[in-house]
Amino acid sequence: MENSYNVFYAGVIICLGICPLTYVLLLRHIPARKEFFFYVFTVFAFTAVVDLFLAFTIDGFIDIAKFYLGEGEVYLASGHGLFINYWDGTAHYLMYLLMTYYMLKNESYRFTGLYWVGSILNSIIVFLPGNAIGKFGQSIKPSYLLNVPYALFPLIFGLRLLNQRDQHAAEFVRRVKSTRPLGSIWGRPLDLLFVVFLAFATVFCTFRALVAFGSPISFCRWWLSDVEPYISDPTSYPVLQMAVYALYFAPFFVGAMMALIKPSGCSWLPDWAAIAAGGLAQGQFSYIGAALHVPAPYPEPAWKPVPTHTLSLFLCVNVALVVVPQLLALRCCAGDRPAAFYRTSNSGQSSGKKSK
């Protein structure tokens, strides 16, 4: 237990030491505004690289981080832990680089920031409770507390961005004056396809929650045994992920359907489409990866592979659940497209009168 506390203290000291080191080596030589989250993302970028080394260690490619897996965060040595480390060491690391670059250039990082908020919050919502209630519940050590900043800072950062929505929308509409209000959903075939998919995703997420919580319905039992046996994994991560999909993402899907049908005044959709895209990308990457691959150095006896005869069905529904939300985020956030959601019917009429 003494080694566990030493690992925790070392992690805290290293993370706290990165901020002044960043200032001394870099920021004091740059005549630009440095905001607080620049330092946060600098620390998080460093830990993302550490997570990539952890992933390589869990997969058996290197041995450099084996001590931390034994005396720090034991639960990382699992299929879910492996793929959240891969995601953090690649996707999150790229987001940190982009956001710090935009901050130094005084350019907007709103979309990247919201995407990161959705991604990391989905990871934490599943990861922290899963460590405590799953098979690793008896292996919680002080290093568990090193994850707390990853829950607090994204919440603060996300709330700040969301609170700036009205100002951002007003500036965006003022800058983009040529966008016309969208017509009926029947005249927008792409949006109609999105509505159909969102309806399917809502039903599918609700269905998988029933599967995760042990519904006795015969089709649910078949799905659990023949299509997604990983949902019953004793680590509890997949059960929590299915619950998050049903409780948080399914309501968003319903709201997004309504906003696509009647977009005027739905200024919330571009922001939440970016958040949802980030959350689903992270969640599905970790879930699909852990369902298809267990790290050889840390075998999980209860892990069951996806049956070969249903592998195509498994991949079809799970890949669709990550790809289509990315396309929806691009549809809502790219170029001048957000203006259709930022404008209200009154503002559209008033701008039309002025143009006359």
Side-chain angles (χ1 to χ4, degrees), residues 17-18 30-31 62 67 107 115 149 175 247 293 295 326 337 344:
I18 294 173
I30 299 177
I62 59 177
F67 178 78
E107 297 178 4
Y115 194 93
R175 189 172 69 251
L247 295 174
H293 170 71
Q326 313 307 309
R337 294 183 178 91
T344 62

Side-chain angles (χ1 to χ4, degrees), residues 175-191:
R175 189 172 69 251
V176 181
K177 298 179 180 180
S178 60
T179 303
R180 297 179 180 178
L182 298 177
S184 168
I185 185 67
W186 304 111
R188 294 179 277 129
L190 179 60
D191 286 351

Side-chain angles (χ1 to χ4, degrees), residues 4-336:
S4 300
Y5 279 104
N6 291 337
V7 170
F8 170 68
Y9 295 144
V12 172
I13 292 171
I14 291 172
C15 289
L16 291 178
I18 294 173
C19 290
L21 190 62
T22 301
Y23 177 80
V24 170
L25 296 179
L26 177 64
L27 288 185
R28 69 173 181 171
H29 303 293
I30 299 177
R33 182 174 60 89
K34 301 107 180 177
E35 62 172 279
F36 170 74
F37 276 98
F38 184 96
Y39 299 97
V40 173
F41 294 145
T42 301
V43 176
F44 283 6
F46 171 80
T47 59
V49 175
V50 173
D51 283 345
L52 190 59
F53 279 103
L54 282 169
F56 289 150
T57 301
I58 296 166
D59 239 348
F61 298 122
I62 59 177
D63 296 329
I64 192 171
K66 267 193 173 181
F67 178 78
Y68 185 80
L69 294 172
E71 298 296 335
E73 300 186 79
V74 181
Y75 35 78
L76 290 176
S78 62
H80 184 82
L82 170 65
F83 283 94
I84 64 171
N85 276 308
Y86 272 132
W87 183 262
D88 197 47
T90 54
H92 283 166
Y93 181 68
L94 177 60
M95 295 177 211
Y96 298 138
L97 293 182
L98 286 173
M99 287 188 287
T100 52
Y101 172 78
Y102 290 144
M103 287 177 180
L104 288 175
K105 299 286 287 184
N106 286 324
E107 297 178 4
S108 174
Y109 49 85
R110 185 176 185 83
F111 177 81
T112 307
L114 290 169
Y115 194 93
W116 169 75
V117 167
S119 175
I120 199 163
L121 284 182
N122 180 83
S123 176
I124 287 296
I125 289 172
V126 174
F127 182 63
L128 289 184
N131 298 336
I133 67 175
K135 74 172 189 177
F136 295 106
Q138 298 295 326
S139 304
I140 300 295
K141 297 183 179 182
S143 296
Y144 180 81
L145 298 175
L146 293 174
N147 295 290
V148 173
Y150 294 92
L152 294 179
F153 287 123
L155 278 175
I156 298 170
F157 186 67
L159 288 173
R160 191 183 77 169
L161 291 177
L162 292 175
N163 287 333
Q164 295 171 352
R165 181 193 303 147
D166 291 342
Q167 177 185 352
H168 171 75
E171 293 176 356
F172 194 94
V173 170
R174 196 161 49 243
R175 189 172 69 251
V176 181
K177 298 179 180 180
S178 60
T179 303
R180 297 179 180 178
L182 298 177
S184 168
I185 185 67
W186 304 111
R188 294 179 277 129
L190 179 60
D191 286 351
L192 185 59
L193 288 175
F194 278 127
V195 169
V196 172
F197 171 80
L198 291 169
F200 160 76
T202 303
V203 174
F204 183 60
C205 288
T206 305
F207 164 71
R208 286 211 293 182
L210 294 176
V211 173
F213 288 107
S215 171
I217 299 173
S218 58
F219 186 69
C220 292
R221 294 202 304 268
W222 173 81
W223 190 273
L224 182 62
S225 62
D226 282 34
V227 182
E228 297 189 278
Y230 177 63
I231 291 178
S232 62
D233 192 82
T235 58
S236 294
Y237 300 123
V239 172
L240 286 168
Q241 186 63 78
M242 297 307 111
V244 169
Y245 285 161
L247 295 174
Y248 295 99
F249 287 92
F252 164 75
F253 294 151
V254 174
M257 279 191 289
M258 303 303 295
L260 287 173
I261 292 172
K262 191 176 180 181
S264 179
C266 294
S267 60
W268 59 270
L269 182 59
D271 287 353
W272 285 97
I275 292 173
L280 285 163
Q282 190 282 326
Q284 286 299 96
F285 176 84
S286 302
Y287 174 76
I288 295 172
L292 298 177
H293 170 71
V294 63
Y298 300 93
E300 300 173 20
W303 179 80
K304 300 175 184 177
V306 178
T308 306
H309 65 282
T310 58
L311 180 60
S312 58
L313 175 60
F314 171 87
L315 290 175
C316 182
V317 294
N318 280 285
V319 171
L321 196 59
V322 62
V323 171
V324 179
Q326 313 307 309
L327 299 177
L328 177 63
L330 289 176
R331 184 264 172 269
C332 296
C333 303
D336 297 341

